[in-house]
Amino acid sequence: MRSYKQFCAIAKALDVIGDRWNLLIVRELLLQQPCRYTDLHKGLPGIATNLLAERLRDLEREGVVSREEAPPPIATAVFRLTPRGQELKAILLELGRWGAPLMTEPDEQDARRGHWLAVPISLLVSDRTPDQPPVAIELRTGEDVITVETGDGKVHPRLGAAEKPDLVLTGPPQLLVGVLTGQLNLTTARAGGLQTQGNAKVLRRFRPEPAELPGGAEPLDE
Amino acid sequence: MRSYKQFCAIAKALDVIGDRWNLLIVRELLLQQPCRYTDLHKGLPGIATNLLAERLRDLEREGVVSREEAPPPIATAVFRLTPRGQELKAILLELGRWGAPLMTEPDEQDARRGHWLAVPISLLVSDRTPDQPPVAIELRTGEDVITVETGDGKVHPRLGAAEKPDLVLTGPPQLLVGVLTGQLNLTTARAGGLQTQGNAKVLRRFRPEPAELPGGAEPLDE
DNA sequence: CAGCATCCGCTTTGATACTG
DNA sequence: CAGTATCAAAGCGGATGCTG
């Protein structure tokens, strides 16, 4: 936790959550809290185990993360975000929005986790016809299963299987995202290894979100 | 530029702007671009000069910053944000919003720069009576001068002196912010070293922004 | 002086091994 | 499972030197 020692709100924020891995730990907790230590470690490939332990102590001391000793039956602790930690969601969403265009060229070296898809999906896609009855799509990639539901104009991803999915898509992450955003048509995606099960027409419900923000030229207004 | 090697939008964003100092370099450019190397160095107390040079190269390569060789008269280069870099503004604003509550206890060790105040001011304060004629307040702290103008419901801070300020406030940063947000009354602030010049009644124009966000409990929706 | 590059001592990181 | 211990390598901050 090295401080920038600058009397500036942005610098103070970075003093707390700017260290390497910190924001990704928050990402994991946002996506699947409450979390055991091992769950976090699985969701953060590449982190050294001692670093994860140290970061969790730091974030706990700063009031971002809370550690609860689980009740007697289980001999383990679970981690959650405090309300203060929850407020980091806006930052994470903006980071995800800014980083989404960098996902075009999937590096073979990159680690993949299905639940990470929840970030771009809710940002990149919306419901084209909110009046129609709700729709559920199940995405399977590797061992991860996530469900995408829509019906109110927005798209809600969550971890876990759907009860009665209208459609099940199985395949590598970038194919799933490509099909949802409409950048890839089904024929191409199937040729690339996508498997579908159910009513593929429900994909028409999804519409890509406008990608670009205005990005005003004026320095720091609004 | 060490990569997390995770196929995730947030991780990809952090691969580019997550390294130490990077976001503060973007802050400086947002606040006062175009910028010479030396201007950046002044606005980033604590950075090693070689690191600043290296980071600027990195950010240029990533398409966030552009370097322009100035026309013949001046023998220096100026740095700007590219449009892609401008889009980081949303992230910086969210960071500033989250970090603002950490500014309560000013550390004597902290470096201060007047223009950093522009961040919390536009986030924390709004115009109480937009119908009234516009108002300009000049803030002086150390060697920095910033002007705060309002008149349309929002508050617009910018660097430099005001033409016809209704009020000039001189003093340490936390007093200036305290008076603007209404957390400090004038009598207390004057006792703490604030100097005022002009019509102090215009301070009634400012109203603190609602501080808290809802911070929903659901993981990553909206 | 502006705009770096080099060197040096220190800290942080990441990989691995080990423990209750 | 949930960490701690160890260690080589990389990164960082500070000082200094070089070039126009």
Side-chain angles (χ1 to χ4, degrees), chain A residues 162-198:
Chain A
E163 232 177 90
K164 287 186 181 177
D166 299 276
L167 176 64
V168 177
L169 300 178
T170 310
Q174 62 275 37
L175 284 185
L176 298 178
V177 174
V179 165
L180 282 179
T181 58
Q183 293 169 341
L184 231 56
N185 65 39
L186 266 185
T187 321
T188 318
R190 285 207 182 94
L194 183 81
Q195 294 167 42
T196 69
Q197 209 178 116

PDB file of all heavy atoms in Angstrom, chain A residues 162-198:
ATOM      1  N   ALA A 162     -29.903 -21.906 -15.893  1.00  0.00           N
ATOM      2  CA  ALA A 162     -31.256 -21.379 -15.986  1.00  0.00           C
ATOM      3  C   ALA A 162     -32.248 -22.489 -15.677  1.00  0.00           C
ATOM      4  O   ALA A 162     -31.965 -23.685 -15.835  1.00  0.00           O
ATOM      5  CB  ALA A 162     -31.504 -20.812 -17.380  1.00  0.00           C
ATOM      6  N   GLU A 163     -33.452 -22.118 -15.225  1.00  0.00           N
ATOM      7  CA  GLU A 163     -34.454 -23.129 -14.917  1.00  0.00           C
ATOM      8  C   GLU A 163     -35.041 -23.715 -16.201  1.00  0.00           C
ATOM      9  O   GLU A 163     -35.037 -24.919 -16.407  1.00  0.00           O
ATOM     10  CB  GLU A 163     -35.558 -22.506 -14.053  1.00  0.00           C
ATOM     11  CG  GLU A 163     -35.842 -23.307 -12.787  1.00  0.00           C
ATOM     12  CD  GLU A 163     -36.894 -22.600 -11.958  1.00  0.00           C
ATOM     13  OE1 GLU A 163     -38.090 -22.870 -12.163  1.00  0.00           O
ATOM     14  OE2 GLU A 163     -36.499 -21.760 -11.108  1.00  0.00           O
ATOM     15  N   LYS A 164     -35.556 -22.824 -17.030  1.00  0.00           N
ATOM     16  CA  LYS A 164     -36.110 -23.271 -18.326  1.00  0.00           C
ATOM     17  C   LYS A 164     -35.526 -22.405 -19.429  1.00  0.00           C
ATOM     18  O   LYS A 164     -36.194 -21.509 -19.941  1.00  0.00           O
ATOM     19  CB  LYS A 164     -37.636 -23.114 -18.335  1.00  0.00           C
ATOM     20  CG  LYS A 164     -38.388 -24.123 -17.490  1.00  0.00           C
ATOM     21  CD  LYS A 164     -39.887 -23.916 -17.724  1.00  0.00           C
ATOM     22  CE  LYS A 164     -40.717 -24.875 -16.891  1.00  0.00           C
ATOM     23  NZ  LYS A 164     -42.175 -24.614 -17.063  1.00  0.00           N
ATOM     24  N   PRO A 165     -34.296 -22.669 -19.816  1.00  0.00           N
ATOM     25  CA  PRO A 165     -33.668 -21.818 -20.838  1.00  0.00           C
ATOM     26  C   PRO A 165     -34.373 -21.982 -22.181  1.00  0.00           C
ATOM     27  O   PRO A 165     -34.749 -23.089 -22.571  1.00  0.00           O
ATOM     28  CB  PRO A 165     -32.234 -22.340 -20.903  1.00  0.00           C
ATOM     29  CG  PRO A 165     -32.303 -23.736 -20.398  1.00  0.00           C
ATOM     30  CD  PRO A 165     -33.411 -23.780 -19.405  1.00  0.00           C
ATOM     31  N   ASP A 166     -34.592 -20.858 -22.867  1.00  0.00           N
ATOM     32  CA  ASP A 166     -35.118 -20.931 -24.221  1.00  0.00           C
ATOM     33  C   ASP A 166     -34.048 -21.411 -25.185  1.00  0.00           C
ATOM     34  O   ASP A 166     -34.334 -21.946 -26.240  1.00  0.00           O
ATOM     35  CB  ASP A 166     -35.622 -19.546 -24.646  1.00  0.00           C
ATOM     36  CG  ASP A 166     -36.739 -19.053 -23.749  1.00  0.00           C
ATOM     37  OD1 ASP A 166     -37.891 -19.434 -24.003  1.00  0.00           O
ATOM     38  OD2 ASP A 166     -36.439 -18.308 -22.792  1.00  0.00           O
ATOM     39  N   LEU A 167     -32.783 -21.165 -24.781  1.00  0.00           N
ATOM     40  CA  LEU A 167     -31.667 -21.494 -25.661  1.00  0.00           C
ATOM     41  C   LEU A 167     -30.439 -21.770 -24.802  1.00  0.00           C
ATOM     42  O   LEU A 167     -30.218 -21.104 -23.794  1.00  0.00           O
ATOM     43  CB  LEU A 167     -31.400 -20.311 -26.607  1.00  0.00           C
ATOM     44  CG  LEU A 167     -30.202 -20.412 -27.552  1.00  0.00           C
ATOM     45  CD1 LEU A 167     -30.394 -21.544 -28.546  1.00  0.00           C
ATOM     46  CD2 LEU A 167     -29.990 -19.088 -28.280  1.00  0.00           C
ATOM     47  N   VAL A 168     -29.681 -22.769 -25.200  1.00  0.00           N
ATOM     48  CA  VAL A 168     -28.413 -23.055 -24.528  1.00  0.00           C
ATOM     49  C   VAL A 168     -27.295 -22.936 -25.543  1.00  0.00           C
ATOM     50  O   VAL A 168     -27.335 -23.562 -26.602  1.00  0.00           O
ATOM     51  CB  VAL A 168     -28.404 -24.471 -23.902  1.00  0.00           C
ATOM     52  CG1 VAL A 168     -27.047 -24.753 -23.270  1.00  0.00           C
ATOM     53  CG2 VAL A 168     -29.512 -24.622 -22.889  1.00  0.00           C
ATOM     54  N   LEU A 169     -26.311 -22.107 -25.248  1.00  0.00           N
ATOM     55  CA  LEU A 169     -25.157 -21.942 -26.135  1.00  0.00           C
ATOM     56  C   LEU A 169     -23.917 -22.491 -25.437  1.00  0.00           C
ATOM     57  O   LEU A 169     -23.652 -22.160 -24.285  1.00  0.00           O
ATOM     58  CB  LEU A 169     -24.936 -20.454 -26.453  1.00  0.00           C
ATOM     59  CG  LEU A 169     -26.068 -19.715 -27.155  1.00  0.00           C
ATOM     60  CD1 LEU A 169     -25.692 -18.246 -27.353  1.00  0.00           C
ATOM     61  CD2 LEU A 169     -26.386 -20.374 -28.494  1.00  0.00           C
ATOM     62  N   THR A 170     -23.168 -23.333 -26.154  1.00  0.00           N
ATOM     63  CA  THR A 170     -21.953 -23.900 -25.588  1.00  0.00           C
ATOM     64  C   THR A 170     -20.788 -23.603 -26.523  1.00  0.00           C
ATOM     65  O   THR A 170     -20.888 -23.858 -27.731  1.00  0.00           O
ATOM     66  CB  THR A 170     -22.097 -25.432 -25.411  1.00  0.00           C
ATOM     67  OG1 THR A 170     -23.320 -25.701 -24.719  1.00  0.00           O
ATOM     68  CG2 THR A 170     -20.923 -26.004 -24.629  1.00  0.00           C
ATOM     69  N   GLY A 171     -19.704 -23.070 -25.976  1.00  0.00           N
ATOM     70  CA  GLY A 171     -18.546 -22.786 -26.820  1.00  0.00           C
ATOM     71  C   GLY A 171     -17.593 -21.827 -26.142  1.00  0.00           C
ATOM     72  O   GLY A 171     -17.790 -21.447 -24.987  1.00  0.00           O
ATOM     73  N   PRO A 172     -16.547 -21.443 -26.854  1.00  0.00           N
ATOM     74  CA  PRO A 172     -15.560 -20.523 -26.284  1.00  0.00           C
ATOM     75  C   PRO A 172     -16.164 -19.127 -26.075  1.00  0.00           C
ATOM     76  O   PRO A 172     -17.069 -18.733 -26.822  1.00  0.00           O
ATOM     77  CB  PRO A 172     -14.451 -20.489 -27.335  1.00  0.00           C
ATOM     78  CG  PRO A 172     -15.080 -20.979 -28.589  1.00  0.00           C
ATOM     79  CD  PRO A 172     -16.176 -21.904 -28.198  1.00  0.00           C
ATOM     80  N   PRO A 173     -15.654 -18.397 -25.086  1.00  0.00           N
ATOM     81  CA  PRO A 173     -16.222 -17.114 -24.686  1.00  0.00           C
ATOM     82  C   PRO A 173     -16.426 -16.131 -25.824  1.00  0.00           C
ATOM     83  O   PRO A 173     -17.508 -15.556 -25.957  1.00  0.00           O
ATOM     84  CB  PRO A 173     -15.177 -16.565 -23.708  1.00  0.00           C
ATOM     85  CG  PRO A 173     -14.492 -17.744 -23.165  1.00  0.00           C
ATOM     86  CD  PRO A 173     -14.494 -18.767 -24.250  1.00  0.00           C
ATOM     87  N   GLN A 174     -15.419 -15.935 -26.679  1.00  0.00           N
ATOM     88  CA  GLN A 174     -15.562 -14.882 -27.681  1.00  0.00           C
ATOM     89  C   GLN A 174     -16.657 -15.225 -28.690  1.00  0.00           C
ATOM     90  O   GLN A 174     -17.305 -14.330 -29.239  1.00  0.00           O
ATOM     91  CB  GLN A 174     -14.225 -14.554 -28.359  1.00  0.00           C
ATOM     92  CG  GLN A 174     -13.577 -15.657 -29.133  1.00  0.00           C
ATOM     93  CD  GLN A 174     -12.737 -16.570 -28.253  1.00  0.00           C
ATOM     94  OE1 GLN A 174     -13.116 -16.854 -27.107  1.00  0.00           O
ATOM     95  NE2 GLN A 174     -11.628 -17.066 -28.777  1.00  0.00           N
ATOM     96  N   LEU A 175     -16.913 -16.522 -28.928  1.00  0.00           N
ATOM     97  CA  LEU A 175     -18.025 -16.884 -29.808  1.00  0.00           C
ATOM     98  C   LEU A 175     -19.357 -16.544 -29.163  1.00  0.00           C
ATOM     99  O   LEU A 175     -20.261 -16.008 -29.805  1.00  0.00           O
ATOM    100  CB  LEU A 175     -17.978 -18.386 -30.135  1.00  0.00           C
ATOM    101  CG  LEU A 175     -16.931 -18.838 -31.147  1.00  0.00           C
ATOM    102  CD1 LEU A 175     -17.090 -20.315 -31.456  1.00  0.00           C
ATOM    103  CD2 LEU A 175     -17.039 -18.017 -32.429  1.00  0.00           C
ATOM    104  N   LEU A 176     -19.470 -16.832 -27.866  1.00  0.00           N
ATOM    105  CA  LEU A 176     -20.715 -16.528 -27.158  1.00  0.00           C
ATOM    106  C   LEU A 176     -21.009 -15.038 -27.199  1.00  0.00           C
ATOM    107  O   LEU A 176     -22.124 -14.614 -27.515  1.00  0.00           O
ATOM    108  CB  LEU A 176     -20.605 -16.998 -25.701  1.00  0.00           C
ATOM    109  CG  LEU A 176     -20.398 -18.509 -25.503  1.00  0.00           C
ATOM    110  CD1 LEU A 176     -20.258 -18.838 -24.030  1.00  0.00           C
ATOM    111  CD2 LEU A 176     -21.543 -19.281 -26.116  1.00  0.00           C
ATOM    112  N   VAL A 177     -20.006 -14.224 -26.894  1.00  0.00           N
ATOM    113  CA  VAL A 177     -20.205 -12.775 -26.899  1.00  0.00           C
ATOM    114  C   VAL A 177     -20.507 -12.297 -28.314  1.00  0.00           C
ATOM    115  O   VAL A 177     -21.405 -11.471 -28.529  1.00  0.00           O
ATOM    116  CB  VAL A 177     -18.967 -12.058 -26.337  1.00  0.00           C
ATOM    117  CG1 VAL A 177     -19.113 -10.551 -26.477  1.00  0.00           C
ATOM    118  CG2 VAL A 177     -18.759 -12.420 -24.880  1.00  0.00           C
ATOM    119  N   GLY A 178     -19.767 -12.824 -29.284  1.00  0.00           N
ATOM    120  CA  GLY A 178     -19.990 -12.422 -30.669  1.00  0.00           C
ATOM    121  C   GLY A 178     -21.417 -12.676 -31.119  1.00  0.00           C
ATOM    122  O   GLY A 178     -22.034 -11.835 -31.774  1.00  0.00           O
ATOM    123  N   VAL A 179     -21.957 -13.819 -30.757  1.00  0.00           N
ATOM    124  CA  VAL A 179     -23.321 -14.162 -31.154  1.00  0.00           C
ATOM    125  C   VAL A 179     -24.331 -13.268 -30.447  1.00  0.00           C
ATOM    126  O   VAL A 179     -25.289 -12.764 -31.054  1.00  0.00           O
ATOM    127  CB  VAL A 179     -23.597 -15.649 -30.855  1.00  0.00           C
ATOM    128  CG1 VAL A 179     -25.082 -15.945 -30.905  1.00  0.00           C
ATOM    129  CG2 VAL A 179     -22.853 -16.531 -31.849  1.00  0.00           C
ATOM    130  N   LEU A 180     -24.108 -13.007 -29.156  1.00  0.00           N
ATOM    131  CA  LEU A 180     -25.044 -12.158 -28.407  1.00  0.00           C
ATOM    132  C   LEU A 180     -25.062 -10.736 -28.941  1.00  0.00           C
ATOM    133  O   LEU A 180     -26.112 -10.103 -29.043  1.00  0.00           O
ATOM    134  CB  LEU A 180     -24.678 -12.152 -26.924  1.00  0.00           C
ATOM    135  CG  LEU A 180     -25.091 -13.369 -26.108  1.00  0.00           C
ATOM    136  CD1 LEU A 180     -24.634 -13.214 -24.667  1.00  0.00           C
ATOM    137  CD2 LEU A 180     -26.592 -13.573 -26.161  1.00  0.00           C
ATOM    138  N   THR A 181     -23.891 -10.222 -29.274  1.00  0.00           N
ATOM    139  CA  THR A 181     -23.829  -8.836 -29.739  1.00  0.00           C
ATOM    140  C   THR A 181     -24.203  -8.716 -31.207  1.00  0.00           C
ATOM    141  O   THR A 181     -24.356  -7.605 -31.721  1.00  0.00           O
ATOM    142  CB  THR A 181     -22.425  -8.253 -29.558  1.00  0.00           C
ATOM    143  OG1 THR A 181     -21.486  -9.065 -30.273  1.00  0.00           O
ATOM    144  CG2 THR A 181     -22.023  -8.202 -28.092  1.00  0.00           C
ATOM    145  N   GLY A 182     -24.326  -9.849 -31.890  1.00  0.00           N
ATOM    146  CA  GLY A 182     -24.695  -9.809 -33.290  1.00  0.00           C
ATOM    147  C   GLY A 182     -23.521  -9.600 -34.228  1.00  0.00           C
ATOM    148  O   GLY A 182     -23.685  -9.488 -35.442  1.00  0.00           O
ATOM    149  N   GLN A 183     -22.315  -9.545 -33.667  1.00  0.00           N
ATOM    150  CA  GLN A 183     -21.139  -9.371 -34.520  1.00  0.00           C
ATOM    151  C   GLN A 183     -20.845 -10.632 -35.319  1.00  0.00           C
ATOM    152  O   GLN A 183     -20.167 -10.595 -36.344  1.00  0.00           O
ATOM    153  CB  GLN A 183     -19.911  -9.024 -33.664  1.00  0.00           C
ATOM    154  CG  GLN A 183     -19.993  -7.663 -32.993  1.00  0.00           C
ATOM    155  CD  GLN A 183     -18.891  -7.485 -31.960  1.00  0.00           C
ATOM    156  OE1 GLN A 183     -18.307  -8.459 -31.506  1.00  0.00           O
ATOM    157  NE2 GLN A 183     -18.621  -6.244 -31.601  1.00  0.00           N
ATOM    158  N   LEU A 184     -21.349 -11.753 -34.820  1.00  0.00           N
ATOM    159  CA  LEU A 184     -21.129 -13.043 -35.466  1.00  0.00           C
ATOM    160  C   LEU A 184     -22.497 -13.641 -35.792  1.00  0.00           C
ATOM    161  O   LEU A 184     -23.396 -13.632 -34.944  1.00  0.00           O
ATOM    162  CB  LEU A 184     -20.411 -13.957 -34.464  1.00  0.00           C
ATOM    163  CG  LEU A 184     -19.150 -14.684 -34.876  1.00  0.00           C
ATOM    164  CD1 LEU A 184     -18.124 -13.691 -35.378  1.00  0.00           C
ATOM    165  CD2 LEU A 184     -18.605 -15.462 -33.698  1.00  0.00           C
ATOM    166  N   ASN A 185     -22.682 -14.144 -37.005  1.00  0.00           N
ATOM    167  CA  ASN A 185     -23.949 -14.831 -37.251  1.00  0.00           C
ATOM    168  C   ASN A 185     -23.829 -16.301 -36.864  1.00  0.00           C
ATOM    169  O   ASN A 185     -22.723 -16.829 -36.681  1.00  0.00           O
ATOM    170  CB  ASN A 185     -24.413 -14.653 -38.700  1.00  0.00           C
ATOM    171  CG  ASN A 185     -23.465 -15.312 -39.684  1.00  0.00           C
ATOM    172  OD1 ASN A 185     -22.940 -16.398 -39.420  1.00  0.00           O
ATOM    173  ND2 ASN A 185     -23.245 -14.670 -40.810  1.00  0.00           N
ATOM    174  N   LEU A 186     -24.951 -16.947 -36.719  1.00  0.00           N
ATOM    175  CA  LEU A 186     -24.954 -18.301 -36.166  1.00  0.00           C
ATOM    176  C   LEU A 186     -24.171 -19.289 -37.023  1.00  0.00           C
ATOM    177  O   LEU A 186     -23.454 -20.148 -36.502  1.00  0.00           O
ATOM    178  CB  LEU A 186     -26.396 -18.785 -36.014  1.00  0.00           C
ATOM    179  CG  LEU A 186     -26.999 -18.545 -34.628  1.00  0.00           C
ATOM    180  CD1 LEU A 186     -28.377 -19.160 -34.550  1.00  0.00           C
ATOM    181  CD2 LEU A 186     -26.098 -19.167 -33.562  1.00  0.00           C
ATOM    182  N   THR A 187     -24.296 -19.157 -38.330  1.00  0.00           N
ATOM    183  CA  THR A 187     -23.606 -20.102 -39.213  1.00  0.00           C
ATOM    184  C   THR A 187     -22.100 -20.048 -38.993  1.00  0.00           C
ATOM    185  O   THR A 187     -21.442 -21.084 -38.818  1.00  0.00           O
ATOM    186  CB  THR A 187     -23.921 -19.754 -40.686  1.00  0.00           C
ATOM    187  OG1 THR A 187     -25.284 -19.354 -40.787  1.00  0.00           O
ATOM    188  CG2 THR A 187     -23.657 -20.930 -41.576  1.00  0.00           C
ATOM    189  N   THR A 188     -21.570 -18.820 -38.983  1.00  0.00           N
ATOM    190  CA  THR A 188     -20.138 -18.657 -38.759  1.00  0.00           C
ATOM    191  C   THR A 188     -19.738 -19.201 -37.387  1.00  0.00           C
ATOM    192  O   THR A 188     -18.728 -19.899 -37.245  1.00  0.00           O
ATOM    193  CB  THR A 188     -19.753 -17.162 -38.828  1.00  0.00           C
ATOM    194  OG1 THR A 188     -20.437 -16.562 -39.908  1.00  0.00           O
ATOM    195  CG2 THR A 188     -18.262 -17.008 -38.986  1.00  0.00           C
ATOM    196  N   ALA A 189     -20.549 -18.863 -36.380  1.00  0.00           N
ATOM    197  CA  ALA A 189     -20.221 -19.285 -35.026  1.00  0.00           C
ATOM    198  C   ALA A 189     -20.237 -20.804 -34.902  1.00  0.00           C
ATOM    199  O   ALA A 189     -19.360 -21.395 -34.260  1.00  0.00           O
ATOM    200  CB  ALA A 189     -21.207 -18.658 -34.037  1.00  0.00           C
ATOM    201  N   ARG A 190     -21.224 -21.429 -35.553  1.00  0.00           N
ATOM    202  CA  ARG A 190     -21.285 -22.898 -35.496  1.00  0.00           C
ATOM    203  C   ARG A 190     -20.060 -23.501 -36.167  1.00  0.00           C
ATOM    204  O   ARG A 190     -19.494 -24.487 -35.696  1.00  0.00           O
ATOM    205  CB  ARG A 190     -22.561 -23.399 -36.196  1.00  0.00           C
ATOM    206  CG  ARG A 190     -23.814 -23.173 -35.376  1.00  0.00           C
ATOM    207  CD  ARG A 190     -24.884 -24.208 -35.744  1.00  0.00           C
ATOM    208  NE  ARG A 190     -26.116 -23.981 -34.993  1.00  0.00           N
ATOM    209  CZ  ARG A 190     -27.145 -23.256 -35.439  1.00  0.00           C
ATOM    210  NH1 ARG A 190     -27.086 -22.699 -36.643  1.00  0.00           N
ATOM    211  NH2 ARG A 190     -28.235 -23.112 -34.704  1.00  0.00           N
ATOM    212  N   ALA A 191     -19.637 -22.882 -37.246  1.00  0.00           N
ATOM    213  CA  ALA A 191     -18.418 -23.363 -37.934  1.00  0.00           C
ATOM    214  C   ALA A 191     -17.214 -23.240 -37.014  1.00  0.00           C
ATOM    215  O   ALA A 191     -16.289 -24.047 -37.070  1.00  0.00           O
ATOM    216  CB  ALA A 191     -18.196 -22.553 -39.214  1.00  0.00           C
ATOM    217  N   GLY A 192     -17.241 -22.235 -36.130  1.00  0.00           N
ATOM    218  CA  GLY A 192     -16.121 -22.024 -35.216  1.00  0.00           C
ATOM    219  C   GLY A 192     -16.192 -22.879 -33.971  1.00  0.00           C
ATOM    220  O   GLY A 192     -15.286 -22.833 -33.133  1.00  0.00           O
ATOM    221  N   GLY A 193     -17.259 -23.667 -33.818  1.00  0.00           N
ATOM    222  CA  GLY A 193     -17.316 -24.570 -32.677  1.00  0.00           C
ATOM    223  C   GLY A 193     -18.473 -24.323 -31.724  1.00  0.00           C
ATOM    224  O   GLY A 193     -18.585 -24.995 -30.700  1.00  0.00           O
ATOM    225  N   LEU A 194     -19.349 -23.378 -32.048  1.00  0.00           N
ATOM    226  CA  LEU A 194     -20.481 -23.114 -31.155  1.00  0.00           C
ATOM    227  C   LEU A 194     -21.538 -24.213 -31.281  1.00  0.00           C
ATOM    228  O   LEU A 194     -21.865 -24.642 -32.389  1.00  0.00           O
ATOM    229  CB  LEU A 194     -21.115 -21.763 -31.505  1.00  0.00           C
ATOM    230  CG  LEU A 194     -22.277 -21.346 -30.591  1.00  0.00           C
ATOM    231  CD1 LEU A 194     -21.738 -20.761 -29.312  1.00  0.00           C
ATOM    232  CD2 LEU A 194     -23.191 -20.352 -31.298  1.00  0.00           C
ATOM    233  N   GLN A 195     -22.046 -24.652 -30.136  1.00  0.00           N
ATOM    234  CA  GLN A 195     -23.158 -25.589 -30.157  1.00  0.00           C
ATOM    235  C   GLN A 195     -24.400 -24.914 -29.608  1.00  0.00           C
ATOM    236  O   GLN A 195     -24.335 -24.221 -28.604  1.00  0.00           O
ATOM    237  CB  GLN A 195     -22.833 -26.818 -29.311  1.00  0.00           C
ATOM    238  CG  GLN A 195     -21.690 -27.651 -29.891  1.00  0.00           C
ATOM    239  CD  GLN A 195     -21.193 -28.675 -28.888  1.00  0.00           C
ATOM    240  OE1 GLN A 195     -21.993 -29.302 -28.205  1.00  0.00           O
ATOM    241  NE2 GLN A 195     -19.877 -28.812 -28.796  1.00  0.00           N
ATOM    242  N   THR A 196     -25.539 -25.124 -30.293  1.00  0.00           N
ATOM    243  CA  THR A 196     -26.771 -24.495 -29.834  1.00  0.00           C
ATOM    244  C   THR A 196     -27.798 -25.574 -29.555  1.00  0.00           C
ATOM    245  O   THR A 196     -27.784 -26.650 -30.149  1.00  0.00           O
ATOM    246  CB  THR A 196     -27.345 -23.537 -30.892  1.00  0.00           C
ATOM    247  OG1 THR A 196     -27.816 -24.305 -32.002  1.00  0.00           O
ATOM    248  CG2 THR A 196     -26.292 -22.563 -31.374  1.00  0.00           C
ATOM    249  N   GLN A 197     -28.704 -25.242 -28.634  1.00  0.00           N
ATOM    250  CA  GLN A 197     -29.702 -26.203 -28.211  1.00  0.00           C
ATOM    251  C   GLN A 197     -30.942 -25.391 -27.837  1.00  0.00           C
ATOM    252  O   GLN A 197     -30.900 -24.618 -26.888  1.00  0.00           O
ATOM    253  CB  GLN A 197     -29.170 -26.905 -26.964  1.00  0.00           C
ATOM    254  CG  GLN A 197     -29.657 -28.329 -26.754  1.00  0.00           C
ATOM    255  CD  GLN A 197     -28.999 -28.903 -25.489  1.00  0.00           C
ATOM    256  OE1 GLN A 197     -29.670 -29.208 -24.529  1.00  0.00           O
ATOM    257  NE2 GLN A 197     -27.682 -28.979 -25.489  1.00  0.00           N
ATOM    258  N   GLY A 198     -32.001 -25.511 -28.610  1.00  0.00           N
ATOM    259  CA  GLY A 198     -33.215 -24.748 -28.308  1.00  0.00           C
ATOM    260  C   GLY A 198     -33.566 -23.792 -29.437  1.00  0.00           C
ATOM    261  O   GLY A 198     -33.152 -23.988 -30.588  1.00  0.00           O
TER     262      GLY A 198
END
